[in-house]
């Protein structure tokens, strides 16, 4: 499908109108300006616009192999010649102005550069990792933190972030779980859209609007065995049902770029997959922006065994629909000749260039190439006290109380000795989490500092690592055991280092490293009231002294304010209200594991035998902590499930209400969740599907009705022939506090043609 000027334009306008979003349609004069440029551009200049290179003016060291141009002088020459359209992963206004000056006033056509970067969960103020923040189940919060990140990033000379990650992560061994919103398609869709709204703001032309790039298109979260850069073999239906919707949500929220994934799908690398990048992305999903390759992914088509050589790789990528090549430099090297030889039509190149120029135009770069390059903003908009406060709030909201026998909350005023044991007590190098390389090391609040600040008498805190993250410390366990004996309360801070998740950090086991497990087991044997603070970038399988503690909290990587956020929750200043966006299995070997799995023909039933049933001989195939689980310091109860009508007519909706009561003695917040199950369908359906949520805050003794509406669209799935459809019949519904509990009801969907009533 070749998009001509009119379709691209009307598409942009249509999507802007349809989404009612921040996209101001291009004026006729702007379209004419792009037309004129395209007419005047040489093929080298066109290939240049389609090239994005690492920023040597202000280099950073993101987690990528060092390839390509490494020095400012060579890059300056390339910009002057119009051989580059986008720089990425540098920050700082001075360097960006230098580069922009070369593009605008030093190159023949003066087309401004686009500055991109990976601002995944913060620039200088680091917010919780996206997976952590997903535990808030709160799109409003995700939008606010994304806005704050955008304000900082655009003050530091960036126009676009390679975020949010919209991949649904189905296997916790995959290290990039940490960058997304977890295992569920609906939650990921809601949070992807919210983050994009936050990054871009209401007006793309504003100086603090940061373009978003939902990535990685597509199905990266389905790599076999959770192996990074691995392969995906997937049905067309599952691709459309589980992995594409978050991208659609992102495009409806106004995203104008996306990034092709590293992985192959069903034997075709995404970067060379025309069906995926053109027919599906543009034809089915109506995307009208431009597509980045991932880092050198076009060149990697050779290693995939899909392209013969670099020239072939460039040809395949551009024909598939990759508009902007990241870092390999293949487009600038090979497109001129590919076009000259007729292997790539000039029309294909023109469409790609047009898409890129339209986006640059839409964000106001042609009118003001100096937007987001303001030294005053750089001084005043970064790491403000407001952003730090938001990081603290988001940190506390990201914590999930997994279990608690009543040991929490701690009483800050009470004279009790606390022993903080474990490698993360005073550690400052693993607070931010992966993909926070712009953050200043050492500026985050560690756990010990947070606790001291919160305690009436900081002298009552003793801190010792007991072991390293991976290695034992000589005599460390003995010292820790002694400290535990002397203390009234033990806080065990254990888990993963920040470089154990993120890109290229797939793991075969998702457990606490053995040295820390040994420490935890030894400390547990002391039998003091023990609280475990997990630090992690994925769901974990926990055991022994970690799992059997009196309280266990998922604290992910919480960013700049980690220690304060943790103290806020431990001492009850903030009631924990997080819910798990990923299921915690019993054992690593259950992966890939997610709550919305299929029944099989031999499901294990609640009170039935487990013989010859779909389970592992060694482990129950259930969750230790399921998706949606998370406790509070107060107790909530649900009752009075009511349906406006048990019959759902084709074009109508039903209202489902339940009463939530705070039965405890403290104020608290609960996220009530609505799940469905389609009993019988032409394609088997999951045992549960998350559909909606509602956050409610209640005083002790207070009750409130929680209300959901359910319509046919909520019951749809992708059936044979990739058709989205709902099938008449019986649906279970649950209104609950996790994916495993809830009040149960039933509705029946009636087909249009059947007599109603
Ligand atoms: C990652 C992308 C990232 C890009 C640029 C790649 O290795 O897969 O997510 O945006 O590098 O840093």
């Amino acid at each position: 499908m070749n998009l001509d000027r009119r379709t691209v334009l009307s598409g942009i306008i249509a999507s802007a109108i349809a989404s009612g979003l921040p996209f101001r349609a291009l004026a006729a004069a702007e379209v004419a300006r792009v037309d004129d440029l395209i007419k005047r551009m040489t093929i080298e200049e066109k290939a240049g616009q389609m090239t994005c290179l690492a920023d040597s003016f202000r280099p950073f060291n993101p987690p990528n192999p060092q390839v390509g141009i490494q020095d400012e002088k060579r890059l300056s020459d390339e910009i002057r010649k119009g051989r580059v359209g986008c720089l990425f992963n540098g920050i700082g206004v001075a360097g960006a102005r230098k580069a922009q000056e070369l593009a605008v006033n030093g190159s023949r056509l003066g087309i401004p550069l686009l500055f991109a970067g990976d601002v995944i969960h913060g620039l200088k103020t680091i917010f919780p990792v996206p997976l952590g923040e997903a535990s808030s189940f709160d799109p409003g919060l995700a939008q606010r933190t994304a806005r704050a990140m955008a304000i900082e990033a655009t003050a530091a000379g960036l126009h676009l972030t390679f975020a949010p990650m919209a991949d649904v992560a189905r296997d916790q061994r995959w290290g990039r779980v940490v960058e997304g919103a977890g295992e569920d398609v609906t939650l990921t869709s809601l949070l992807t859209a919210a983050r994009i709204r936050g990054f871009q703001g209401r007006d793309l032309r504003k100086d603090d609007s940061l373009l978003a790039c939902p990535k990685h298109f597509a199905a990266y979260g389905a790599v076999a065995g959770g192996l990074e850069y691995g392969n995906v073999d997937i049905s067309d239906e599952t691709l459309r049902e589980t992995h594409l919707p978050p991208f659609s949500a992102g495009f409806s929220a106004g995203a104008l770029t996306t990034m092709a994934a590293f992985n192959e799908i069903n034997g075709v690398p995404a970067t060379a997959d025309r069906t995926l990048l053109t027919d599906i992305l543009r034809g089915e999903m109506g995307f009208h922006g431009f597509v980045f390759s991932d880092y050198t992914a076009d060149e990697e088509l050779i290693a995939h065994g899909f392209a013969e050589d670099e020239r072939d790789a460039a040809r395949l990528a551009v024909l598939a629909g990759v508009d902007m090549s990241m870092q390999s430099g293949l487009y600038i090297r090979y497109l001129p000749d590919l076009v000259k030889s007729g292997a790539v039509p000039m029309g294909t190149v023109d469409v790609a260039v047009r898409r890129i120029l339209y986006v640059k135009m839409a964000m106001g770069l042609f009118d003001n190439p100096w937007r987001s390059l303001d030294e005053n903003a750089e001084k005043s908009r970064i790491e403000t006290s407001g952003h730090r406060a938001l990081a603290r709030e988001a940190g506390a909201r990201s914590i999930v109380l997994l279990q608690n026998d009543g040991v929490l909350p701690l009483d800050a005023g009470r004279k009790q000795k606390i022993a903080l044991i474990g490698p993360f007590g005073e550690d400052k190098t693993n607070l931010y989490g992966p993909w926070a390389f712009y953050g200043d090391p050492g500026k985050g609040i560690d756990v010990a500092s947070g606790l001291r600040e919160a305690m009436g008498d900081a002298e009552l805190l003793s801190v010792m690592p007991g072991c390293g993250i991976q290695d034992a410390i000589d005599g460390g366990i003995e010292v820790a055991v002694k400290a535990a004996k002397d203390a009234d309360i033990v806080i065990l801070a254990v888990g993963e280092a920040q470089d154990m998740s993120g890109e290229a950090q797939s793991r075969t086991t998702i457990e606490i490293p053995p040295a820390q497990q040994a420490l935890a087991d030894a400390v547990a044997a002391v039998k003091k009231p023990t609280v475990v603070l997990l630090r992690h970038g994925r769901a974990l399988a926990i055991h022994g002294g970690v799992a059997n503690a009196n309280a266990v909290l998922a604290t992910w990587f919480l960013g700049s304010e980690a220690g304060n956020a943790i103290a806020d929750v431990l001492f009850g200043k903030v009631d924990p209200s997080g819910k798990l966006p990923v299921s915690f299995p019993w054992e690593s070997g259950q992966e890939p594991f997610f709550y919305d799995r299929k029944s099989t023909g031999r499901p294990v039933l609640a009170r039935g035998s487990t013989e010859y049933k779909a389970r592992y001989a060694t482990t129950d195939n259930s969750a230790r902590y399921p998706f949606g689980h998370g406790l509070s310091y107060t107790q909530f109860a649900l009752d009075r499930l009511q349906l406006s009508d048990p019959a759902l007519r084709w074009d109508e909706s039903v209202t489902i209400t339940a009463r939530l009561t705070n039965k405890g003695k403290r104020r608290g917040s609960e996220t009530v969740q609505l799940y469905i199950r389609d009993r019988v369908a032409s394609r088997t359906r999951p045992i549960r599907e998350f559909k909606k949520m509602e956050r409610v805050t209640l005083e002790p003794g207070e009750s409130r009705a929680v209300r959901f509406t359910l319509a046919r669209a909520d019951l749809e799935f992708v059936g044979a022939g990739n058709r989205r459809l709902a099938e008449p019949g019986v649906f279970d519904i649950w209104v609950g506090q996790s994916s495993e509990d809830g009040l149960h009801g039933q509705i029946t969907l009636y087909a249009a043609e059947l007599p109603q009533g």
Side-chain angles (χ1 to χ4, degrees), residues 212-215 217 247 251 256-260 281 287 290-292:
C213 177
K215 66 187 186 185
F217 196 79
F247 288 89
F251 303 148
L256 292 174
T257 72
T258 187
M259 186 187 292
L281 176 64
F287 174 68
F290 75 81
V291 178
F292 281 94

Side-chain angles (χ1 to χ4, degrees), residues 38 41-53 78 81-86 109 111 298 314 318 322-326 328-339 344 346 348-350 352-354 356 360:
I38 290 181
M41 287 168 90
T42 62
I43 178 64
E44 279 76 19
E45 285 162 336
K46 289 176 184 172
Q49 277 310 301
M50 296 166 69
T51 295
C52 185
L53 298 178
E78 295 290 289
K81 290 181 195 149
R83 285 163 57 90
V84 48
C86 166
L109 294 170
I111 302 174
D298 43 6
V318 75
V322 173
D323 303 301
M324 176 87 86
S325 161
M326 190 199 294
S328 67
L330 291 199
Y331 278 12
I332 192 68
R333 289 214 292 286
Y334 297 101
L335 278 187
D337 185 58
L338 283 165
V339 168
V344 171
M346 184 66 102
T348 304
V349 170
D350 284 351
V353 174
R354 185 178 298 285
I356 293 164
K360 288 187 175 181

Side-chain angles (χ1 to χ4, degrees), residues 591-649:
E591 296 294 332
F593 184 81
F594 36 88
Y595 82 96
D596 52 335
R597 51 198 184 276
K598 300 294 184 73
S599 160
T600 79
R602 294 187 176 188
V604 178
L605 301 174
R607 274 178 294 279
S609 149
T610 54
E611 291 295 303
Y612 292 92
K613 292 290 160 74
R615 67 187 292 275
Y616 295 100
T618 48
T619 315
D620 206 57
N621 198 23
S622 59
R624 183 189 279 278
Y625 306 115
F627 174 87
H629 167 76
L631 305 172
S632 156
Y633 291 151
T634 189
Q635 287 80 45
F636 290 101
L638 279 163
D639 66 355
R640 295 200 189 160
L641 179 71
Q642 282 174 345
L643 308 177
S644 59
D645 192 335
L648 172 57
R649 285 150 183 95

Side-chain angles (χ1 to χ4, degrees), residues 98-408:
K98 232 160 129 185
Q100 197 66 305
E101 173 67 33
L102 289 170
V104 173
N105 295 320
S107 73
R108 193 176 76 91
L109 294 170
I111 302 174
L113 290 168
L114 178 74
F115 297 112
D118 291 284
V119 180
I120 308 299
H121 55 112
L123 186 94
K124 293 287 179 191
T125 308
I126 307 299
F127 296 93
V129 287
L131 182 64
E133 190 185 70
S135 310
S136 70
F137 271 51
D138 185 350
L141 180 70
Q143 183 168 337
R144 283 162 65 214
T145 59
R147 186 85 290 272
M149 291 179 223
I151 287 171
E152 293 200 3
T154 51
L158 286 177
H159 300 136
L160 179 146
T161 176
F162 296 130
M165 189 180 94
D167 301 314
V168 176
R170 302 298 259 186
D171 191 320
Q172 301 301 308
R173 290 171 294 179
W174 188 50
R176 305 201 77 166
V177 171
V178 67
E179 297 171 44
E183 71 191 34
D184 179 65
V185 58
T186 300
L187 187 63
T188 303
S189 300
L190 291 169
L191 292 176
T192 297
R195 286 174 175 147
I196 290 167
R197 284 196 297 272
F199 285 137
Q200 300 198 153
R202 301 191 63 78
D203 180 355
L204 289 185
R205 289 177 193 244
K206 276 191 72 178
D207 174 74
D208 65 3
S209 168
L210 183 67
L211 286 192
C213 177
K215 66 187 186 185
H216 308 80
F217 196 79
Y220 195 15
V223 281
L227 178 66
E228 178 65 314
Y229 312 125
N231 304 325
V232 173
D233 213 318
I234 197 171
S235 72
D236 285 347
E237 290 83 359
T238 302
L239 174 71
R240 283 170 176 78
E241 189 170 300
T242 304
H243 298 278
L244 299 187
F247 288 89
S248 293
F251 303 148
S252 301
L256 292 174
T257 72
T258 187
M259 186 187 292
F262 278 130
N263 53 280
E264 66 158 68
I265 305 177
N266 305 336
V268 182
T271 308
D273 191 341
R274 187 171 165 84
T275 305
L276 181 74
L277 296 185
T278 298
D279 300 346
I280 297 178
L281 176 64
R282 296 184 185 277
E284 280 182 35
M285 298 169 74
F287 174 68
H288 296 288
F290 75 81
V291 178
F292 281 94
S293 77
D294 203 342
Y295 193 96
T296 63
D298 43 6
E299 191 177 333
E300 292 168 24
L301 294 174
I302 304 168
H304 272 288
F306 201 79
E308 278 173 18
D309 52 23
E310 292 184 343
R311 187 175 190 276
D312 195 31
R315 180 183 70 84
L316 286 164
V318 75
L319 290 179
V322 173
D323 303 301
M324 176 87 86
S325 161
M326 190 199 294
Q327 191 59 2
S328 67
L330 291 199
Y331 278 12
I332 192 68
R333 289 214 292 286
Y334 297 101
L335 278 187
D337 185 58
L338 283 165
V339 168
K340 207 180 298 158
S341 69
V344 171
M346 184 66 102
T348 304
V349 170
D350 284 351
V351 167
V353 174
R354 185 178 298 285
R355 289 173 184 146
I356 293 164
L357 296 183
Y358 277 164
V359 170
K360 288 187 175 181
M361 191 68 84
M363 59 185 285
L365 262 189
F366 281 93
D367 289 343
N368 178 14
W370 310 107
R371 62 150 283 181
S372 311
L373 303 182
D374 173 1
E375 261 134 10
N376 291 326
E378 192 171 35
K379 286 191 203 102
S380 61
R381 288 210 318 239
I382 295 177
E383 257 201 322
T384 59
S385 54
H387 290 176
R388 286 293 286 226
L390 179 57
R392 183 168 180 164
E393 179 192 342
R397 291 284 308 279
S398 302
I399 294 172
V400 187
L401 181 62
L402 298 173
Q403 62 190 47
N404 182 22
D405 67 359
V407 64
L408 291 179

